[in-house]
Amino acid sequence: PTYIGFSFVIGNKAYFGRTQYVGSLSRKCYEYDFTSNTWSPTQDFPGSLIIGPAFFTINNKGYLLGADNETWEFDPSAAIKWTRKADYPGPHRRLAEGFSINGKGYLVNGRTSTDNNGVVTITYLRSLYEYNPGNNTWAVKASFPGAARERSPSFVISSYGYVGGGNNFEARFIDFYRYNPSDNSWLRIEDYNSAGIVQTCFSVHARGYAVWSDTWTSLIKMKKYTPRTCTPIFQ
């Protein structure tokens, strides 16, 4: 049994890892080969334990935001597969969302918490950060325009990032937004229009897919998103 971990798809292989294991401190990672349909162990995650890390892939490498603002790079072709990179400079966060566009990685939303003599205060976040692996730097970008939230899935289509859903305490959201990195802007798109919980998102052939359920334990369902295009009319 595994508590919320991470996954990368690089080439024809997938990589799955634990960042917190129920009942132990295991950081085991595994490689799945789609061609041979086999699993094999790979190098363990060396960073601090974290629940719900954000992660993304860029140029055949995986990137993960660990605890204590650690940034880790995973290179499946290297002898030492995990390398620590520049720390993420924003507030400590977990249950954030990561995605990548045109060689840059993005980290958005999530939650942070403070402990004051046993009184824990949770703050939900809207901030967006961009990671550039070329010069190993983080930069602040335009904040997510919706309400602050955690567990807000994303998908990428044609150099745009789509982020939405999620929750904030007991509030569940159905609003979705499109991020354009070329001008650092957000645009609200059509709402998800289904009550329940958006569990995850992905994209295939220029279409977005959202996997959702009415509750955390009920039947899984799926919807498809098709971007709208408008053709200018000239007279």
Side-chain angles (χ1 to χ4, degrees), residues 147-229:
R149 65 192 68 185
E150 64 182 12
R151 304 177 190 269
S152 49
S154 69
F155 54 89
V156 174
I157 299 175
S158 301
S159 298
Y160 295 108
Y162 295 82
V163 183
N167 62 281
N168 177 327
F169 290 101
E170 297 301 320
R172 296 175 182 174
F173 300 104
I174 61 172
D175 51 332
F176 260 80
Y177 301 83
R178 187 186 76 183
Y179 178 68
N180 183 357
S182 65
D183 63 5
N184 188 32
S185 67
W186 290 91
L187 175 70
R188 185 167 181 174
I189 64 171
E190 183 179 353
D191 287 351
Y192 188 67
N193 286 334
S194 286
I197 304 162
V198 183
Q199 306 274 18
T200 190
C201 290
F202 59 91
S203 58
V204 178
H205 299 312
R207 300 292 186 270
Y209 294 85
V211 179
W212 65 285
S213 60
D214 295 318
T215 68
W216 290 113
T217 58
S218 62
L219 183 67
I220 297 296
K221 308 170 187 179
M222 186 163 62
K223 278 191 173 184
K224 179 174 72 174
Y225 173 75
T226 302
R228 294 182 178 180
T229 58

Side-chain angles (χ1 to χ4, degrees), residues 24 45 49 59 66 74 76 83 92 96 131 142 145 151 155 167 197 211:
S24 76
F45 173 61
L49 295 174
N59 298 331
F74 177 79
T83 303
H92 167 72
Y131 178 70
R151 304 177 190 269
F155 54 89
N167 62 281
I197 304 162
V211 179

Side-chain angles (χ1 to χ4, degrees), residues 99-114:
F99 59 94
S100 60
I101 302 173
N102 296 334
K104 305 284 181 64
Y106 296 89
L107 173 70
V108 67
N109 297 344
R111 69 152 79 171
T112 189
S113 60
T114 56

